[in-house]
Short mmCIF file of all heavy atoms in Angstrom, two decimals:
data_model
loop_
_atom_site.label_atom_id
_atom_site.label_comp_id
_atom_site.label_asym_id
_atom_site.label_seq_id
_atom_site.Cartn_x
_atom_site.Cartn_y
_atom_site.Cartn_z
N HIS A 76 97.66 72.71 122.02
CA HIS A 76 96.52 73.21 122.84
C HIS A 76 96.86 73.21 124.30
O HIS A 76 96.26 74.01 125.09
CB HIS A 76 95.31 72.33 122.60
CG HIS A 76 94.72 72.50 121.20
ND1 HIS A 76 94.04 73.65 120.87
CD2 HIS A 76 94.75 71.62 120.09
CE1 HIS A 76 93.62 73.53 119.59
NE2 HIS A 76 94.08 72.30 119.14
N GLU A 77 97.73 72.40 124.71
CA GLU A 77 98.10 72.34 126.15
C GLU A 77 99.40 73.11 126.45
O GLU A 77 100.06 72.86 127.49
CB GLU A 77 98.18 70.88 126.66
CG GLU A 77 96.87 70.19 126.47
CD GLU A 77 96.97 68.61 126.91
OE1 GLU A 77 98.00 68.33 127.68
OE2 GLU A 77 96.06 67.87 126.71
N GLU A 78 99.92 73.87 125.51
CA GLU A 78 101.06 74.74 125.63
C GLU A 78 102.40 73.91 125.69
O GLU A 78 103.27 74.29 126.36
CB GLU A 78 100.94 75.74 126.86
CG GLU A 78 99.74 76.52 126.90
CD GLU A 78 99.61 77.47 125.70
OE1 GLU A 78 100.65 77.81 125.09
OE2 GLU A 78 98.45 77.89 125.30
N ARG A 79 102.35 72.72 125.08
CA ARG A 79 103.45 71.87 125.09
C ARG A 79 104.14 72.00 123.69
O ARG A 79 103.47 72.13 122.60
CB ARG A 79 103.06 70.44 125.23
CG ARG A 79 102.48 70.11 126.52
CD ARG A 79 101.86 68.73 126.59
NE ARG A 79 100.96 68.41 125.55
CZ ARG A 79 100.24 67.27 125.34
NH1 ARG A 79 100.52 66.32 126.17
NH2 ARG A 79 99.41 67.14 124.40
N PRO A 80 105.44 72.15 123.70
CA PRO A 80 106.20 72.25 122.40
C PRO A 80 105.93 70.94 121.61
O PRO A 80 106.23 69.87 122.08
CB PRO A 80 107.60 72.43 122.82
CG PRO A 80 107.69 72.95 124.19
CD PRO A 80 106.37 72.18 124.87
N VAL A 81 105.52 71.07 120.33
CA VAL A 81 105.46 69.99 119.43
C VAL A 81 105.94 70.39 118.00
O VAL A 81 106.06 71.58 117.79
CB VAL A 81 103.86 69.49 119.27
CG1 VAL A 81 103.36 68.90 120.54
CG2 VAL A 81 103.06 70.64 118.94
N SER A 82 106.01 69.46 117.17
CA SER A 82 106.44 69.68 115.84
C SER A 82 105.57 69.10 114.89
O SER A 82 104.65 68.26 115.12
CB SER A 82 107.90 69.15 115.56
OG SER A 82 107.95 67.72 115.76
N THR A 83 105.57 69.58 113.50
CA THR A 83 104.65 69.07 112.59
C THR A 83 105.37 69.20 111.17
O THR A 83 106.23 70.04 110.99
CB THR A 83 103.36 69.94 112.51
OG1 THR A 83 102.57 69.45 111.38
CG2 THR A 83 103.62 71.36 112.31
N ASN A 84 104.90 68.34 110.21
CA ASN A 84 105.45 68.50 108.89
C ASN A 84 104.52 69.30 108.02
O ASN A 84 104.70 69.40 106.76
CB ASN A 84 105.69 67.13 108.23
CG ASN A 84 104.47 66.22 108.31
OD1 ASN A 84 103.38 66.71 108.51
ND2 ASN A 84 104.62 64.94 107.98
N ILE A 85 103.48 69.98 108.66
CA ILE A 85 102.55 70.85 107.89
C ILE A 85 103.18 72.20 107.78
O ILE A 85 103.79 72.71 108.76
CB ILE A 85 101.16 70.94 108.60
CG1 ILE A 85 100.48 69.57 108.56
CG2 ILE A 85 100.23 71.96 108.01
CD1 ILE A 85 99.22 69.56 109.41
N ASP A 86 103.12 72.85 106.67
CA ASP A 86 103.54 74.25 106.36
C ASP A 86 102.48 75.13 106.84
O ASP A 86 101.43 75.22 106.23
CB ASP A 86 103.96 74.44 104.99
CG ASP A 86 105.21 73.68 104.58
OD1 ASP A 86 106.08 73.36 105.32
OD2 ASP A 86 105.13 73.11 103.38
N PRO A 87 102.68 76.05 107.87
CA PRO A 87 101.78 76.96 108.26
C PRO A 87 101.74 78.20 107.19
O PRO A 87 102.60 78.30 106.45
CB PRO A 87 102.35 77.44 109.62
CG PRO A 87 103.80 77.34 109.50
CD PRO A 87 103.98 75.99 108.71
N PHE A 88 100.67 78.96 107.38
CA PHE A 88 100.56 80.09 106.52
C PHE A 88 101.41 81.31 106.87
O PHE A 88 101.59 82.27 106.16
CB PHE A 88 99.11 80.57 106.40
CG PHE A 88 98.07 79.51 106.13
CD1 PHE A 88 96.93 79.48 106.69
CD2 PHE A 88 98.42 78.51 105.18
CE1 PHE A 88 95.90 78.44 106.38
CE2 PHE A 88 97.51 77.51 104.88
CZ PHE A 88 96.24 77.50 105.45
N ILE A 89 102.01 81.24 108.06
CA ILE A 89 102.90 82.27 108.54
C ILE A 89 103.91 81.69 109.51
O ILE A 89 103.53 80.70 110.02
CB ILE A 89 102.07 83.44 109.28
CG1 ILE A 89 102.95 84.61 109.45
CG2 ILE A 89 101.40 82.93 110.59
CD1 ILE A 89 102.08 85.86 110.01
N LYS A 90 105.09 82.25 109.61
CA LYS A 90 106.02 81.83 110.56
C LYS A 90 106.46 83.03 111.38
O LYS A 90 106.08 84.15 111.06
CB LYS A 90 107.27 81.15 109.94
CG LYS A 90 108.02 81.99 108.99
CD LYS A 90 109.17 81.19 108.45
CE LYS A 90 110.10 82.18 107.49
NZ LYS A 90 111.29 81.39 107.07
N ARG A 91 107.27 82.81 112.42
CA ARG A 91 107.72 83.79 113.36
C ARG A 91 108.44 84.94 112.59
O ARG A 91 109.21 84.76 111.67
CB ARG A 91 108.60 83.06 114.36
CG ARG A 91 109.13 83.96 115.39
CD ARG A 91 109.89 83.15 116.45
NE ARG A 91 110.71 83.90 117.43
CZ ARG A 91 111.47 83.26 118.30
NH1 ARG A 91 111.43 81.90 118.44
NH2 ARG A 91 112.27 83.97 119.15
N ASN A 92 108.16 86.16 113.03
CA ASN A 92 108.83 87.41 112.55
C ASN A 92 108.48 87.74 111.05
O ASN A 92 109.36 88.22 110.39
CB ASN A 92 110.32 87.37 112.77
CG ASN A 92 110.66 87.23 114.27
OD1 ASN A 92 109.85 87.59 115.10
ND2 ASN A 92 111.76 86.64 114.59
N THR A 93 107.27 87.27 110.58
CA THR A 93 106.95 87.59 109.29
C THR A 93 105.44 88.09 109.21
O THR A 93 104.72 87.93 110.25
CB THR A 93 107.00 86.24 108.37
OG1 THR A 93 106.13 85.28 108.67
CG2 THR A 93 108.43 85.76 108.25
N PHE A 94 105.10 88.62 108.13
CA PHE A 94 103.74 89.04 107.93
C PHE A 94 102.93 88.22 106.87
O PHE A 94 103.55 87.63 106.03
CB PHE A 94 103.67 90.46 107.35
CG PHE A 94 104.48 91.57 108.16
CD1 PHE A 94 105.80 91.65 107.99
CD2 PHE A 94 103.80 92.29 109.02
CE1 PHE A 94 106.45 92.68 108.80
CE2 PHE A 94 104.40 93.23 109.82
CZ PHE A 94 105.77 93.47 109.64
N SER A 95 101.64 88.06 107.13
CA SER A 95 100.78 87.29 106.20
C SER A 95 99.34 87.66 106.41
O SER A 95 98.96 88.17 107.38
CB SER A 95 101.01 85.79 106.32
OG SER A 95 100.42 85.06 105.24
N LEU A 96 98.57 87.38 105.34
CA LEU A 96 97.12 87.59 105.37
C LEU A 96 96.41 86.32 105.98
O LEU A 96 96.64 85.18 105.43
CB LEU A 96 96.52 87.85 103.99
CG LEU A 96 95.05 88.14 103.88
CD1 LEU A 96 94.71 89.49 104.47
CD2 LEU A 96 94.66 88.12 102.42
N LEU A 97 95.64 86.42 107.02
CA LEU A 97 95.14 85.33 107.75
C LEU A 97 93.52 85.62 108.02
O LEU A 97 93.22 86.78 108.18
CB LEU A 97 95.77 84.95 108.99
CG LEU A 97 97.23 84.58 108.94
CD1 LEU A 97 97.80 84.31 110.32
CD2 LEU A 97 97.50 83.37 108.10
N ARG A 98 92.83 84.54 108.04
CA ARG A 98 91.42 84.61 108.37
C ARG A 98 91.06 84.36 109.82
O ARG A 98 91.68 83.46 110.43
CB ARG A 98 90.65 83.55 107.49
CG ARG A 98 89.01 83.63 107.67
CD ARG A 98 88.39 82.51 106.91
NE ARG A 98 88.74 81.17 107.41
CZ ARG A 98 88.12 80.59 108.45
NH1 ARG A 98 87.12 81.16 109.00
NH2 ARG A 98 88.62 79.43 108.91
N VAL A 99 90.15 85.12 110.34
CA VAL A 99 89.76 84.96 111.72
C VAL A 99 88.74 83.78 111.84
O VAL A 99 87.68 83.85 111.17
CB VAL A 99 89.06 86.27 112.31
CG1 VAL A 99 88.50 86.05 113.66
CG2 VAL A 99 90.00 87.51 112.35
N ALA A 100 89.12 82.77 112.61
CA ALA A 100 88.23 81.58 112.75
C ALA A 100 87.31 81.76 113.88
O ALA A 100 86.20 81.15 113.86
CB ALA A 100 89.10 80.39 112.92
N GLU A 101 87.69 82.51 114.90
CA GLU A 101 86.82 82.62 116.04
C GLU A 101 87.21 83.88 116.86
O GLU A 101 88.40 84.25 116.83
CB GLU A 101 87.08 81.35 116.94
CG GLU A 101 86.26 81.40 118.26
CD GLU A 101 86.65 80.19 119.19
OE1 GLU A 101 87.51 79.44 118.79
OE2 GLU A 101 86.08 80.23 120.30
#
Side-chain angles (χ1 to χ4, degrees):
H76 290 285
E77 299 181 16
E78 306 299 335
R79 298 173 302 186
V81 293
S82 59
T83 178
N84 55 13
I85 296 176
D86 292 324
F88 305 144
I89 192 173
K90 63 179 184 177
R91 182 172 166 181
N92 300 334
T93 64
F94 301 86
S95 190
L96 181 70
L97 301 178
R98 181 184 66 86
V99 176
E101 178 188 359

